[in-house]
Amino acid sequence: MLDNVLIVNAQIPGYQGWQQISIAEGIIQAILPTTIALPDNAPTILDVAGDWISWGGIDLQINGALGLAFPDLSPNHSEQLATIAQFLWQQGVDGFLPTLVTTSVDKIQRSLQTLANLPSASPDPATSSAQILGVHLEGPFLNPEKRGAHPAEHLQPLTIETVKRVLGDYASLVKVMTLAPELDATGEVIPYLRSLGITVSLGHSLATADQANQAFQQGATMVTHAFNAMPALHHREPGLLGAAIVHPQVHCGLIADGQHVHPIMIQVLLQASGDDAGIFLVSDALSPLGLPDGLYPWDERQIEVKQGTARLLNGTLSGTTLPLLIGSQNLVQWGICPPETAIALATDAPRRAIGMNTDYLGQSADLLRWHLETAQQLTWQRLS
């Protein structure tokens, strides 16, 4: 964390022109255009020469790291979770939602209990860590025909009674729940989840555009990994994704690894959604994140990791092992969008999706510096 520093000649997503950032006692005090004269008593000056300055990333869909799958959590994993949080911080992530994919209700409850009972994070800056912001339940309320790698035997009917059984005593810990809205015959589940403060994300679904719009009217505000595990965009059947793209209050998660979604379709999504789009990047990383390629256990099955892509042995795509910010770098490398947009999709956009504060003023100066090495090579480092 920076302290008593004035950063000058910085570009910041959402700000016009170059800015200077005043930091005192580790807190951002002011952001002013660089054209304003520096005070005579200016503190240490850091000239970033036009580089981009941003928050760290927020990963709203990450299934594990360093060999630990979050659905397998138990009380003896506290130390390993702390190590993962430190690792993610080193990967440029400020906060994340441990994601529990479909598994038995008992395992979901055990994982939630483990996360609820974690000790408070250490304030020692030498062990800076990404913050656990809550939990993302990706299932078990998914359409069996779009379950992807989720095991069919653990899928559950979408009723308030079943939701209560899955959440148990830990509803306040759950920040996001992915579900297939067409499974709710009553139309009561989404309003119930919203009454608990849970953000509802539509995914692993065969919902039509009409069904999706009904879910949005009921309070759903997100879509899980756009394009994946849902009907394809079609000119006569826009489906869930088509309805989401044109809805101004809906945020869509996107995996930008080049495998889950072709770069051209990412470009289509971003251009169709417009400059104020609710698109945000997720890693969808699995437990081998941070480990080399190879075979790894995944619930009762195995996945094979090759060059950052994880598949079941039958070839089903199951996730990535790439850190979140690789997505931003990929978007620039592919020429899909400028650095400002690519950075914001991993930093500002996910914050907005779950209602976090996106005003830099008064916030801790835990910042990233992004540098455009070439027209298509974006690098980053933490400022300290």
Side-chain angles (χ1 to χ4, degrees):
M1 182 188 300
L2 296 173
D3 191 13
N4 298 322
V5 170
L6 185 68
I7 301 174
V8 299
N9 298 321
Q11 299 188 74
I12 306 172
Y15 286 75
Q16 295 295 320
W18 290 13
Q19 308 291 322
Q20 54 192 28
I21 307 169
S22 174
I23 299 168
E25 298 181 355
I27 301 297
I28 299 173
Q29 305 292 331
I31 298 177
L32 299 169
T34 294
T35 53
I36 294 178
L38 300 180
D40 294 334
N41 59 344
T44 301
I45 294 175
L46 173 60
D47 188 343
V48 296
D51 285 351
W52 293 92
I53 300 295
S54 78
W55 316 96
I58 297 291
D59 199 344
L60 302 184
Q61 187 177 3
I62 176 172
N63 308 283
L66 302 180
L68 177 62
F70 296 139
D72 295 334
L73 290 174
S74 62
N76 63 346
H77 285 131
S78 294
E79 185 174 338
Q80 194 169 354
L81 272 170
T83 300
I84 288 172
Q86 292 167 22
F87 167 77
L88 292 176
W89 177 265
Q90 295 163 3
Q91 299 301 313
V93 173
D94 284 356
F96 65 106
L97 297 183
T99 301
L100 309 183
V101 296
T102 302
T103 187
S104 70
V105 175
D106 287 345
K107 288 186 69 175
I108 291 173
Q109 286 286 295
R110 186 177 65 189
S111 296
L112 290 173
Q113 181 184 37
T114 299
L115 290 163
N117 293 333
L118 285 178
S120 300
S122 168
D124 183 357
T127 58
S128 294
S129 300
Q131 182 183 0
I132 294 176
L133 303 172
V135 172
H136 180 167
L137 287 184
E138 189 186 354
F141 309 108
L142 312 179
N143 192 311
E145 296 184 44
K146 283 294 183 181
R147 70 182 188 277
H150 292 246
E153 63 270 23
H154 294 311
L155 296 177
Q156 299 287 333
L158 184 55
T159 66
I160 289 180
E161 291 72 22
T162 311
V163 167
K164 287 180 177 179
R165 185 161 62 88
V166 170
L167 293 176
D169 297 327
Y170 305 106
S172 62
L173 184 63
V174 176
K175 190 74 173 180
V176 175
M177 180 183 288
T178 294
L179 55 79
E182 68 274 18
L183 302 183
D184 179 17
T186 67
E188 297 176 348
V189 173
I190 292 175
Y192 172 71
L193 291 170
R194 293 299 301 125
S195 74
L196 299 175
I198 296 173
T199 297
V200 176
S201 187
L202 309 186
H204 290 275
S205 167
L206 283 173
T208 64
D210 287 344
Q211 289 171 322
N213 279 323
Q214 183 178 25
F216 298 147
Q217 291 170 5
Q218 292 167 353
T221 57
M222 278 177 56
V223 169
T224 296
H225 45 49
F227 291 105
N228 297 113
M230 63 187 62
L233 282 174
H234 189 278
H235 59 287
R236 284 190 294 270
E237 296 291 344
L240 163 59
L241 184 56
I245 289 173
V246 299
H247 197 294
Q249 277 79 50
V250 174
H251 305 264
C252 296
L254 175 68
I255 307 168
D257 64 342
Q259 298 294 322
H260 283 75
V261 183
H262 192 283
I264 289 178
M265 293 308 294
I266 293 178
Q267 191 168 8
V268 167
L269 178 65
L270 292 177
Q271 291 186 3
S273 300
D275 293 337
D276 296 325
I279 310 301
F280 62 92
L281 295 182
V282 297
S283 72
D284 198 25
L286 301 180
S287 60
L289 171 63
L291 303 179
D293 287 358
L295 289 174
Y296 292 94
W298 200 68
D299 55 47
E300 291 80 27
R301 299 165 290 176
Q302 282 190 314
I303 52 174
E304 184 174 16
V305 176
K306 289 183 178 179
Q307 297 181 332
T309 300
R311 296 180 183 272
L312 297 177
L313 298 188
N314 66 5
T316 300
L317 190 61
S318 55
T320 76
T321 58
L322 300 175
L324 175 68
L325 299 189
I326 291 291
S328 296
Q329 294 172 308
N330 283 341
L331 294 179
V332 173
Q333 181 181 345
W334 298 332
I336 288 177
C337 61
E340 176 180 12
T341 302
I343 294 166
L345 288 174
T347 57
D348 289 355
R351 284 175 164 84
R352 290 197 302 271
I354 58 171
M356 291 180 67
N357 185 2
T358 57
D359 185 353
Y360 283 85
L361 298 182
Q363 301 298 309
S364 296
D366 295 315
L367 299 171
L368 304 184
R369 176 179 180 176
W370 303 76
H371 179 67
L372 200 59
E373 298 281 351
T374 67
Q376 293 181 302
Q377 185 181 2
L378 184 66
T379 62
W380 65 270
Q381 66 180 64
R382 277 207 180 270
L383 290 177
S384 59

